[in-house]
Every structure is written in structure tokens, then in C-alpha cells.
Amino acid sequence: MSTNQAKFVWYDLMTSDTKAAESFYKSVVGWNMQDAGMGGPPYTILSAGTIMVGGLMQIPEEARAMGARPGWNGYIAVSDVDDYAGRVVAAGGTIRRPPQDIPGVGRFAVAADPHGAGFFLFKGNGEAPPAPAVAGTPGHIGWHELHAGDMESAFAFYAGLFGWTKAEAIDMGPLGVYQTFATGGAPIGGMMTKTPDMPVTCWLYYINVEAIDAAVARINQGGGKVVMGPHQVPGGSWIVQGLDPQGAMFALVSAQR
């Protein structure tokens, strides 16, 4: 089993206005952007320094016709996309787009857990992804948070599929338990049963920034909207959740206020 098996290895934003989204995230996060040059639909590569972190593209027409809205997606590395697509269905999830190849890049499928939170299965062609950045490095994804239909059954789904393990459980009182999890190593995210004000079950990805208050100012200047925070979480980090100008939900995390 490769060292990246069952880890998040890529992220992308599907949006309704790629140029406006590029401008917003370049300002808020500081990503470098360049066209992937793959032919086919335009795909912008997002990089933190020289390290590629993710991509940005227009919502495909067929997805838009099915009601897809702007949103971030996480890609989980697997040994065999077709095999894991079958495992997702067997475990009660769904496959929203069957396995297919991205020429010269790899193979992917669009999946959802039993409560409808989406994620991608991915196996790259050949070259290994770059080594993970040091924790907290600006521009990289620092935390992965599932707002689940039901935390316990969702955790069982992902643990059964990918071998993820429970780390610390934090009692949030009326909001229930916040279960942190690991994919081999230190915890990389948390799961909770979604609150009534979270419109849908979803994965939310926290992007590292240098300081939260300055980033909040950039969100507001760029036409985004802060929906939660800034507030401090156990461990001392500061977080904020927001909507970009096209309505995609994102989050930021920093060790500094």
C-alpha cells in the first residue's frame, strides 16, 4: 500500500465564474495560478509557492444541469478507483460519476457518503505527489472537516472504506461530539453531525493562512462573506468559515489571530 493510500491528495473548486474566483482566492490566500494547459475545458492550477495544491474550473454543463452549485472537492488517493467505487456503493454510498480517465493525469470517480457529502476517488499516473508541507504552511490545506448527516455512522463508513482511525473526541455540549481522525500519523480533520444552520452535509476544507484577522479583511474586501468566526478552537488555532463571491463555502485556519 502506498504512503498516500486513503489520504487527501488534491482539492479543486468548481465554480460559476472562474476569473472572479481566481481573483478572490489569489487575494485571500495568496495562491499562484496558471493554466494547466491540458486541452479540453480550462483548468487553473493553484500553487502555494512552487507546490501545486489544487485546481479551479467551471462547473461542467452536465453537473450544472443536475443542480451542482459552486463548491470545493477533495480527492482521496486509492489503489484502484474502480474497486473503491464498488466498495463505496457496497458501504451505502453512491457514485455520482463513474470512474474515468484524465489523460496523462490519472483516473477518478465522484462519490458521496450515505448522507450525501461528496468526495473524489483518485489514482494518479506514475509520479508521486510532492511530500506534504510542514503543518501550518500558508496556502496548504490544514484541516478536513465533515459536517455529517450522522457523525457515528459517517465515521464508520470512512473508517471501513479507508482505514481512518479515531483520534481525540471533543464534547461540544448541545452540538454533540467532534471526532478528530487520522489517516496514518497526526490527526488531519474532524467529523461532527451537522448543525441545523449548515444547509447540506459536506466536507469543508480549511486553508492555512498567516493571520486570521488580516485574512478576514481580505475576504470582506474581495466580496466574500464571513459566516462563522473568527474564533479560537481547542489547541489554540484561529478559524473562520466563509462563502466566496460565487457562494462556495471555504474555511481558513491560522496559529495567529
Side-chain angles (χ1 to χ4, degrees):
M1 187 179 281
S2 80
T3 54
N4 282 296
Q5 170 77 8
K7 289 181 165 61
F8 285 93
V9 293
W10 191 253
Y11 310 87
D12 63 25
L13 172 67
M14 291 190 186
T15 186
S16 54
D17 186 336
T18 54
K19 289 297 171 218
E22 285 178 19
S23 174
F24 176 77
Y25 286 100
K26 189 167 194 168
S27 164
V28 171
V29 179
W31 279 324
N32 298 317
M33 312 217 170
Q34 67 185 80
D35 183 72
M38 297 192 302
Y43 190 82
T44 300
I45 299 290
L46 313 173
S47 301
T50 58
I51 300 174
M52 296 188 295
V53 175
L56 185 156
M57 65 183 286
Q58 193 81 17
I59 299 170
E61 206 47 62
E62 67 271 23
R64 190 196 299 271
M66 292 168 63
R69 298 185 50 74
W72 281 92
N73 306 291
Y75 289 64
I76 299 169
V78 295
S79 53
D80 182 320
V81 171
D82 297 70
D83 174 44
Y84 271 83
R87 295 189 196 194
V88 165
V89 174
T94 53
I95 295 297
R96 293 177 171 168
R97 185 166 180 173
Q100 68 182 91
D101 292 323
I102 309 167
V105 176
R107 191 164 176 81
F108 79 102
V110 183
D113 70 22
H115 303 104
F119 59 94
F120 283 48
L121 301 168
F122 179 72
K123 184 176 194 304
N125 288 353
E127 68 184 77
V134 174
T137 303
H140 291 262
I141 304 298
W143 196 248
H144 311 76
E145 188 169 84
L146 177 65
H147 293 260
D150 172 72
M151 190 278 288
E152 284 294 347
S153 60
F155 184 86
F157 170 82
Y158 290 100
L161 202 57
F162 299 127
W164 294 353
T165 55
K166 287 184 176 181
E168 184 184 5
I170 300 161
D171 184 349
M172 300 189 298
L175 298 178
V177 171
Y178 189 88
Q179 178 65 61
T180 65
F181 69 94
T183 60
I188 61 112
M191 300 184 187
M192 62 183 285
T193 300
K194 81 173 190 70
T195 58
D197 57 357
M198 180 66 78
V200 292
T201 58
C202 64
W203 280 96
L204 180 61
Y205 303 102
Y206 285 73
I207 307 159
N208 295 324
V209 292
E210 289 197 1
I212 280 291
D213 284 348
V216 165
R218 296 193 297 270
I219 291 171
N220 292 328
Q221 287 161 6
K225 180 182 176 186
V226 172
V227 295
M228 193 280 291
H231 78 232
Q232 200 167 23
V233 295
S237 293
W238 289 87
I239 63 167
V240 64
Q241 296 173 2
L243 296 172
D244 71 20
Q246 288 70 50
M249 192 167 189
F250 69 100
L252 305 176
V253 57
S254 177
Q256 298 180 56
R257 177 73 195 254

